[in-house]
Amino acid sequence: MTAQSLPVRHIDLSTTHKDTHGGDAAAFSVFWWKDLPLGMRASLPEELPFGEAQLRQFAAEFGAAQLAARSPTLGAPLRATFEGRPKQALILAHLLGADNLVDQLDRLAAPSGMSAQDISVVICTRDRGEALAGCLKSVTTQQTPPSEIIVVDNSVDGNAKSICRRFPEIRHVHEPRPGLSVARNAGIRASCGEIIAFTDDDVELHPSWTAEVGRAFLDESIDALTGLVLPAQLDTPAQRIFQLDMGGFGTTFVPLRFDHRFLEETRPHGAHVWKIGAGANMAFRRKMFERIGLFDERLGAGAAGCSEDSELWYRMLANGGVCLYEPRAVVFHHHRRELSELRQQMRSYMRGHVAALVAQYDEFGDRGNLVRIFGQLPIYFLRTFLKGLLEGRNGRPETLTAEVAGWTAGLQFLFRSGWRRQRAPRLSAGGAGQ
Amino acid sequence: MAYRLVEIELSKPLEAIEFAPEESGVGLIARWHDQLVGFEMIARPSGSMLSAEELREFADRHFAARVLIAKVEHELAQSAPPSAALSSLSIAICTKDRAQRLSRLLTSLDAVRKNSSFAAIEIVVVDNASTDSTTREAVERFDGIRYVFEPKAGLNFARNAALEAATGALIAYLDDDVVVDRNWLIGLAKACRDNPGAGGFTGLVLPYRLDTEAQIYFERRGGFGRGFYRNEFRNARFDNPLHPVGAGVLGAGCNMAFERKLLISLGGFDEALDTGAPLPGGGDLDIFYRVLRSGRTMVYEPQFAVYHEHRETIAQLRRQYWSWGLGMMAFLVKCRRSDRELRSRHGAMVRWWFVDQARALARAVRGLRGRDVNFGIAEVWGGIRGLAGEYDRSRSRVQAIRELNR
């Protein structure tokens, strides 16, 4: 299943009625209605090209899901279930009078005309070399330019500076103290926008990303935003394992509100905040940082491993904040190419995850975090192991050992009392400037 | 214990359902502007009622999402270009000693064949070695039906006889224990228009009645239901490495249609499967599998629907589960021999099937569900027997029948 290369292709179902694929190779299809992402599907050569009826069925099923999630007359917006899936709220009586649904879909897919004047884009990078240029190009060619673009260079010698110089609108900030959280906090302190949007150095932005971030924050009730992370390419086995066997960075294509209730529902099992989104595509109001503090510098790449983003969401939801997941804000992520890199990544994910659970337990005292460490995770490892015995590759033995190793490594944080006393740094109010 | 089958039209106001003393629930067949969109069963104490309000809430939860998709699909289809005219159709019914059920089916067909969009329609009844003349007499009571007698007893003998006698470009097979839905032909026509080049079609199978414990139990356990979404099947599937070996997901043999030329080129049905009493299964799996392996598409269309009279007694039902296991394994043994290219998948399917059955059995034992255990054992036992030379036994039986009728 992950044996052959899987070229990523994009199909706009609002205009495509005939699939021109030659049927000679497998493909990973991403479906759109104009600029609105609808869904994705991996297909073997035998399943291609899609017939006209199949394309129409995709359009109908995906389109209906968008209408149910986005049309206020049909029950939108949707809350997230504890699994991070949409809670359906359709009422038959409202469907009776609902006509011109395709026109409605067109309206939902209309591009955002929002300005991005209030948005500071922060990209943290570390020793990426030439690959950074692709990311920066996509940031500087947004349909709606943001008010500022800050690259926080987390390398020791500031080696991203030469690449940044090619883009005059980019500000280069050197933060030699290692750690993704440290770099992100430096970016926040250096920025002046009311909304701070983060992306990583291994992604490319969809051209309407800033405009969609701006549109989402029109809703005064939300404090944070996450968006859709699509695979940029699936050329290597490691990339396909990550996307297809492990779910990539999420597979939900409808907007969801994550609020206090989501936290309450999942609290007994450690609050599934990692289902909210991914650090490669997220944004916050500055006010939110002023209220609850910055990223926890004990977490994240370069420190415990990762989960600095989900820990911040946890803190935010626990303090009554609301995060909107809006898949209209799209980025394309370059997954790790090599299996060894993927294993390394899974190890640090799991290590960071355990660290974040410990940190959350210390700050809020929710026992669910411990249930997650000592109950859910071991059960998950065992299940994956048994599944691997039964199904071979589908049980992804490639990454399981790395995950278990990461979990074991993460347990150390339980015994480090000095580490456990630390907290996330604060942001002084009105704190623009370095 | 009995469930009443109730049709509800979701585009109109819903009305309360009252239960008679002998009724313990309801099977809801939901339509939206006559299009089938859902089937659900609700258990209720006898003598109670389901208020209009409760029914509305139930419909919101279970049918609304499907209705929305149907509406969007309808709008999208209107902008699609008109498609080519339809070819001729033969409807083949294979029956043995069941004149009453046959009449019931022919009556339902009479109602749908009047104004169809197919160029021509013929109905062929294959009398599969009935012991008396009642089948012939039943056919004679209807107009314009061709009667063919097949002396070799066995469902796939009869299906092949129909294939030979039929003249249509498309041939639709119906078992004699079904009744067609009023939109059955419209559904098949839609499937043909939407999928030019498809080799075959399968459709929805709903219960004809839920009057006995066995019928209710069977439908609750999934019945023949394959859902209300169109589905397309090809020679391989990304999300299922065993496909097309698990061809049972495609549909059921009691309601299927094929391009006739294709069936002839594939050599028709395997007469050693679906032979009637000794090996009453596997024939549909086999033909679906061979169509897919020939590189042609199969399409499942929910509007192409029939109502199936499920087994009446628990003993009959137990035998049906036994025959599923038997047919499945006989089919796999055959495939493993005839289609060497996919041998590893056949082996994997056998393993997966037994593990899956064992898991279901373990769940049933843990839940102290005696009936599930009973049926589970029957199915596994059928599977073991099927694996242990049943296909060869069936071949020699079939050969004997052929020689007897030479």
Side-chain angles (χ1 to χ4, degrees):
Chain A
M1 159 167 158
T2 43
Q4 39 189 328
S5 177
L6 214 51
V8 177
R9 63 183 191 141
H10 296 273
I11 299 176
D12 180 355
L13 289 173
S14 76
T15 54
T16 311
H17 305 296
K18 213 171 183 76
D19 188 359
T20 52
H21 193 277
D24 46 356
F28 186 83
S29 312
V30 180
F31 299 103
W32 303 75
W33 192 273
K34 301 189 168 83
D35 270 352
L36 186 67
L38 298 179
M40 50 196 179
R41 160 157 315 200
S43 315
L44 294 175
E46 290 88 341
E47 298 175 88
L48 296 167
F50 295 125
E52 284 173 50
Q54 181 76 68
L55 288 175
R56 195 159 66 230
Q57 190 184 359
F58 283 141
E61 287 177 16
F62 293 144
Q66 292 298 324
L67 288 164
R70 293 180 185 275
S71 166
T73 55
L74 298 178
L78 300 183
R79 282 188 49 220
T81 65
F82 70 94
E83 283 151 328
R85 296 263 153 213
K87 229 173 222 166
Q88 284 303 338
L90 271 180
I91 307 253
L92 207 50
H94 296 161
L95 289 179
L96 284 168
D99 287 315
N100 302 323
L101 294 169
V102 174
D103 293 344
Q104 274 197 49
L105 203 53
D106 283 339
R107 277 199 295 280
L108 291 177
S112 158
M114 274 308 296
S115 93
Q117 279 307 303
D118 294 338
I119 300 175
S120 301
V121 176
V122 174
I123 303 138
C124 301
T125 185
R126 182 187 166 88
D127 299 330
R128 281 287 290 181
E130 205 37 50
L132 178 65
C135 167
L136 297 186
K137 184 158 183 287
S138 75
V139 186
T140 51
T141 52
Q142 287 289 299
Q143 284 158 4
T144 323
S147 71
E148 59 178 351
I149 304 168
I150 298 168
V151 171
V152 183
D153 187 349
N154 207 201
S155 63
V156 179
D157 55 352
N159 56 36
K161 187 156 190 134
S162 58
I163 295 168
C164 290
R165 238 187 245 129
R166 280 182 239 160
F167 304 92
E169 58 273 65
I170 288 180
R171 245 171 81 202
H172 177 263
V173 174
H174 188 207
E175 171 56 85
R177 279 196 307 139
L180 181 55
S181 287
V182 176
R184 286 206 172 126
N185 288 343
I188 297 165
R189 291 202 177 96
S191 70
C192 52
E194 277 311 303
I195 292 157
I196 306 163
F198 294 91
T199 188
D200 290 344
D201 57 1
D202 50 3
V203 308
E204 273 152 51
L205 302 178
H206 188 279
S208 66
W209 187 71
T210 50
E212 292 298 347
V213 171
R215 166 148 77 178
F217 276 102
L218 273 184
D219 180 349
E220 290 291 336
S221 70
I222 68 159
D223 305 285
L225 177 79
T226 52
L228 180 63
V229 182
L230 292 172
Q233 81 279 96
L234 297 170
D235 297 343
T236 71
Q239 292 179 328
R240 293 190 290 274
I241 289 171
F242 182 69
Q243 180 67 37
L244 301 161
D245 297 343
M246 317 191 69
F249 285 114
T251 52
T252 309
F253 283 79
V254 295
L256 293 172
R257 277 175 83 88
F258 293 90
D259 55 14
H260 196 67
R261 282 180 297 181
F262 172 77
L263 187 77
E264 288 304 324
E265 280 173 20
T266 58
R267 230 171 191 166
H269 321 285
H272 295 188
V273 278
W274 57 92
K275 286 171 181 159
I276 292 176
N281 187 3
M282 63 179 180
F284 300 88
R285 281 190 206 279
R286 172 178 298 280
K287 281 203 208 82
M288 208 278 308
F289 289 118
E290 288 166 3
R291 210 168 76 226
I292 68 163
L294 298 170
F295 286 99
D296 191 328
E297 296 184 352
R298 292 172 293 169
L299 306 172
C306 83
S307 293
E308 79 294 344
D309 43 12
S310 61
E311 188 276 336
L312 187 63
W313 293 319
Y314 190 104
R315 223 183 316 148
M316 192 180 81
L317 296 192
N319 282 291
V322 175
C323 181
L324 177 70
Y325 168 72
E326 173 49 90
R328 253 190 312 220
V330 180
V331 307
F332 303 91
H333 183 262
H334 295 265
H335 299 339
R336 302 286 187 280
R337 291 192 75 85
E338 302 304 326
L339 217 47
S340 56
E341 292 175 292
L342 177 65
R343 268 196 220 108
Q344 182 60 40
Q345 186 189 12
M346 294 329 292
R347 187 179 183 280
S348 63
Y349 269 17
M350 200 44 85
R351 186 169 175 266
H353 183 44
V354 173
L357 290 166
V358 174
Q360 286 158 194
Y361 174 69
D362 287 341
E363 182 149 1
F364 296 99
D366 289 331
R367 302 188 68 82
N369 290 300
L370 301 182
V371 171
R372 172 89 186 155
I373 298 176
F374 294 108
Q376 282 192 340
L377 287 174
I379 290 173
Y380 156 79
F381 297 142
L382 192 67
R383 279 232 176 103
T384 311
F385 176 71
L386 290 177
K387 211 172 159 228
L389 284 186
L390 197 70
E391 299 175 15
R393 289 191 54 89
N394 286 349
R396 55 188 169 82
E398 289 90 345
T399 51
L400 181 62
T401 45
E403 286 182 277
V404 175
W407 175 79
T408 317
L411 294 179
Q412 61 169 299
F413 298 110
L414 274 169
F415 308 105
R416 287 168 55 175
S417 54
W419 187 91
R420 288 181 66 175
R421 272 194 298 275
Q422 295 171 36
R423 291 290 177 269
R426 313 293 299 184
L427 177 70
S428 49
Q434 283 158 278
Chain B
M1 192 174 174
Y3 277 38
R4 186 178 3 149
L5 284 175
V6 177
E7 248 191 42
I8 55 174
E9 172 56 57
L10 297 173
S11 62
K12 303 219 168 79
L14 300 176
E15 283 167 21
I17 299 171
E18 275 178 56
F19 294 97
E22 70 278 8
E23 286 171 345
S24 49
V26 63
L28 285 177
I29 298 168
R31 293 179 189 265
W32 170 263
H33 290 291
D34 216 31
Q35 178 182 345
L36 287 162
V37 291
F39 173 81
E40 293 289 337
M41 292 164 78
I42 310 176
R44 270 299 149 103
S46 51
S48 68
M49 66 180 280
L50 197 65
S51 72
E53 183 58 30
E54 281 174 292
L55 198 55
R56 264 198 299 277
E57 274 172 26
F58 188 86
D60 288 342
R61 264 202 320 279
H62 291 92
F63 305 132
R66 181 73 197 103
V67 168
L68 181 59
I69 293 170
K71 285 191 76 147
V72 178
E73 199 163 17
H74 181 72
E75 279 189 31
L76 290 170
Q78 283 182 330
S79 58
S83 44
L86 292 173
S87 58
S88 54
L89 168 71
S90 299
I91 302 170
I93 302 160
C94 304
T95 183
K96 179 176 168 60
D97 292 324
R98 279 173 166 179
Q100 217 177 350
R101 289 190 176 183
L102 177 65
S103 303
R104 192 171 75 187
L105 169 57
L106 290 175
T107 309
S108 73
L109 276 174
D110 254 355
V112 303
R113 71 200 261 211
K114 295 270 156 51
N115 37 30
S116 91
S117 37
F118 286 94
I121 292 187
E122 64 169 357
I123 299 181
V124 181
V125 172
V126 180
D127 184 344
N128 195 196
S130 287
T131 46
D132 58 22
S133 60
T134 50
T135 301
R136 172 187 280 270
E137 286 154 24
V139 170
E140 277 163 2
R141 259 174 263 139
F142 293 84
D143 289 332
I145 292 180
R146 289 178 55 199
Y147 174 88
V148 175
F149 188 80
E150 169 55 61
K152 300 192 286 294
L155 180 53
N156 273 358
F157 278 126
R159 282 177 179 153
N160 281 342
L163 188 59
E164 209 167 295
T167 58
L170 191 70
I171 180 163
Y173 285 93
L174 290 169
D175 283 357
D176 58 7
D177 50 4
V178 305
V179 164
V180 297
D181 181 67
R182 60 174 178 264
N183 295 329
W184 181 75
L185 261 186
I186 296 172
L188 182 57
K190 173 176 180 281
C192 291
R193 283 207 188 93
D194 280 355
N195 306 281
F201 305 94
T202 54
L204 177 66
V205 182
L206 290 169
Y208 176 71
R209 59 191 181 95
L210 295 172
D211 289 347
T212 71
E213 214 183 331
Q215 290 173 336
I216 294 166
Y217 176 87
F218 177 69
E219 192 57 42
R220 275 229 180 271
R221 237 186 150 203
F224 289 114
R226 297 288 182 274
F228 289 81
Y229 292 89
R230 173 191 169 278
N231 213 339
E232 194 174 310
F233 298 91
R234 301 203 194 174
N235 206 353
R237 254 181 104 112
F238 192 90
D239 56 4
N240 180 359
L242 295 187
H243 186 83
V245 177
V249 293
L250 267 70
C254 62
N255 183 30
M256 56 185 184
F258 302 92
E259 186 190 288
R260 196 169 63 92
K261 242 183 14 214
L262 172 67
L263 281 197
I264 291 170
S265 75
L266 291 176
F269 294 85
D270 181 347
E271 294 172 345
L273 294 168
D274 263 347
T275 59
L279 177 52
D284 47 0
L285 298 179
D286 176 66
I287 197 68
F288 298 154
Y289 177 81
R290 281 158 58 213
V291 169
L292 295 181
R293 289 293 288 150
S294 77
R296 298 288 290 274
T297 307
M298 296 260 330
V299 174
Y300 171 80
E301 168 57 56
Q303 303 309 314
F304 174 48
V306 300
Y307 301 90
H308 177 263
E309 171 130 18
H310 297 336
R311 303 290 181 273
E312 218 170 347
T313 66
I314 294 293
Q316 288 170 341
L317 186 56
R318 186 172 193 279
R319 193 179 145 73
Q320 172 162 353
Y321 281 119
W322 172 81
S323 76
W324 278 6
L326 187 74
M328 176 76 179
M329 287 303 142
F331 155 69
L332 286 174
V333 167
K334 178 208 161 163
C335 287
R336 203 170 154 73
R337 252 180 243 169
S338 57
D339 190 357
R340 303 188 70 85
E341 205 185 320
L342 296 192
R343 281 190 86 156
S344 63
R345 284 190 217 181
H346 303 134
M349 189 51 159
V350 171
R351 282 194 298 281
W352 180 87
W353 190 87
F354 278 102
V355 169
D356 190 54
Q357 294 288 335
R359 260 197 240 152
L361 255 178
R363 270 197 305 273
V365 169
R366 234 180 300 134
L368 298 174
R369 295 191 306 270
R371 184 154 291 158
D372 285 338
V373 175
N374 184 3
F375 290 153
I377 290 171
E379 198 164 352
V380 170
W381 179 238
I384 292 170
R385 219 185 127 74
L387 214 50
E390 182 61 30
Y391 185 66
D392 290 322
R393 285 193 292 278
S394 186
R395 275 174 60 128
S396 44
R397 280 196 300 264
V398 162
Q399 193 52 38
I401 295 174
R402 278 198 201 107
E403 270 159 26
L404 209 69
N405 287 281
R406 193 164 288 198

